[in-house]
Amino acid sequence: MRSVVDHRLTSALTLALVLASGVAAAQEEPPAPPPAPAPTTAPSPEAARAEALFQEGKELLDAGRFVEACDKLAESDKLDPAIGTLGLLAACHEGQGRLATAWREYKETAARAEAAKDDRAAVARERAAALEPNLPRLSVRLARPSAEVEVFRNRERVPPEDLGVAVPVDPGTYEIVARAPRRPEHRVTITVKPGAQAVVEVPDLDRLEAPPSPAAPAPSAKDAPSGLGPRRTAGLIVAGVGLAGVVVGGVAGAVALGQNRESIAIHEHCSTSAECDEGRALRQKAFRTATVSTVGFAVGGAGLVAGVLLLAIPKAKPEPRTAIAPFVSGNGGGAVVLGQF
């Protein structure tokens, strides 16, 4: 697998890495005859895919298309980690302006090269050291350190061991959020520029006041109160009851008239006592229905009068209290309006 990617090692680092390897070769003694080539094996699918991604990423980087190039190189190194791939990825991120990311990748490149006893470790360390003076650093400090407090930087949790430490970050804007159970959260946004050191102080969350409830929106014209106070509302209700009583009285009166006419017809033409009794019974029924009609008209009329009075008379103290009391007597029925207007 290493033989498949050997040819990309020198081109994987920045121009400084390539020049360093060229100088080292010029200072060496004349090389000995090369050994016989070792038999090669077919690359694995992962290595072949990594090689293709590496070549695509290198071409995109040459064209200045940093975002696409870095994505290709990162995927290639994930499939088949190599010194050259990571070195070129670091150079890509440096060109993007992601200084802290490039710095970490140069240091990792140096570690890989040292483990492989590769001379490019020194050049990778030099590139990392060259970036250090311009690295932005961001420190998040807790006024009251607590294991319950969790701090997030752009939605990624900051490890507890990094709190209070000036951590190298890429230039840009960061949202710092501190949370703890049953406490108000603290949120702040800060922009960090190259070479700057920024500090975010997180106050004691126990001393923070809960955020105020959002103010209720001002009522619009259509939501504004109609101006109907208890007095006018009572007037509308009483008038409605009165109107219903008038309707009931009218219907009952019409039914009573029909029953009465039918009872008279039976009484005038009855030939037997049974038929005459039926006429008398129907007349009694008509009388009861007429009583209902009378009560309905009485209640309805009184309700309408009381409702109109409540709506028309100016408001007074105390608020009006009204009631309609129907009554029935042997001579008919009616209603009495009781209350304070």
Side-chain angles (χ1 to χ4, degrees):
M1 181 169 62
R2 296 261 59 84
S3 60
V4 176
V5 297
D6 282 344
H7 72 278
R8 58 178 157 127
L9 296 184
T10 55
S11 63
L13 297 174
T14 60
L15 180 60
L17 294 177
V18 177
L19 292 176
S21 62
V23 172
Q27 293 175 346
E28 292 177 356
E29 296 294 330
T40 60
T41 57
S44 66
E46 290 80 6
R49 175 64 177 159
E51 173 66 16
L53 289 168
F54 175 84
Q55 295 299 335
E56 292 175 13
K58 186 175 181 300
E59 292 175 3
L60 290 167
L61 184 59
D62 291 340
R65 297 164 63 178
F66 292 105
V67 175
E68 298 168 88
C70 293
D71 288 344
K72 297 286 185 183
L73 293 170
E75 188 177 353
S76 174
D77 191 65
K78 183 178 180 181
L79 290 172
D80 185 16
I83 299 171
T85 307
L86 186 58
L88 192 60
L89 178 60
C92 183
H93 282 143
E94 183 180 356
Q96 249 187 323
R98 299 178 60 183
L99 304 182
T101 300
W103 174 74
R104 294 187 186 94
E105 290 167 346
Y106 278 132
K107 290 174 69 71
E108 177 60 25
T109 300
R112 289 186 187 181
E114 288 172 352
K117 301 187 184 321
D118 191 297
D119 292 340
R120 289 168 297 177
V123 182
R125 283 196 301 270
E126 289 176 6
R127 291 303 308 146
L131 291 179
E132 284 194 15
N134 289 324
L135 286 180
R137 297 179 184 272
L138 177 59
S139 175
V140 181
R141 301 174 183 171
L142 300 182
R144 181 186 174 190
S146 170
E148 291 187 331
V149 178
E150 294 182 335
V151 178
F152 297 86
R153 182 177 59 228
N154 283 0
R155 299 184 180 181
E156 293 186 3
R157 186 179 179 186
V158 178
E161 60 270 19
D162 284 353
L163 294 175
V165 178
V167 179
V169 295
D170 293 330
T173 300
Y174 294 89
E175 183 183 49
I176 307 300
V177 180
R179 297 192 182 106
R182 301 174 301 279
R183 295 174 180 84
E185 71 175 24
H186 178 71
R187 187 183 297 262
V188 65
T189 300
I190 188 170
T191 299
V192 187
K193 297 181 179 180
Q197 294 204 18
V199 178
V200 174
E201 300 282 355
V202 177
D204 185 355
L205 299 185
D206 287 334
R207 297 180 177 273
L208 291 181
E209 295 183 0
S213 303
S220 61
K222 70 175 184 178
D223 295 331
S226 62
L228 294 177
R231 181 188 185 87
R232 292 183 177 273
T233 301
L236 290 175
I237 294 174
V238 172
V241 172
L243 181 60
V246 171
V247 172
V248 170
V251 173
V255 172
L257 290 175
Q259 292 172 339
N260 186 57
R261 283 195 297 269
E262 186 179 354
S263 68
I264 293 174
I266 294 174
H267 181 72
E268 290 178 350
H269 300 90
C270 64
S271 57
T272 63
S273 59
E275 290 178 350
C276 294
D277 291 342
E278 181 182 354
R280 283 191 292 271
L282 188 57
R283 182 175 178 81
Q284 292 296 324
K285 186 175 182 181
F287 178 77
R288 290 193 297 271
T289 306
T291 301
V292 172
S293 175
T294 302
V295 173
F297 277 118
V299 172
L304 287 174
V305 172
V308 170
L309 289 175
L310 289 172
L311 292 171
I313 295 176
K315 181 179 179 180
K317 297 294 183 177
E319 289 292 338
R321 294 187 297 274
T322 60
I324 301 175
F327 67 89
V328 179
S329 68
N331 297 323
V336 177
V337 178
L338 306 174
Q340 182 177 6
F341 299 95

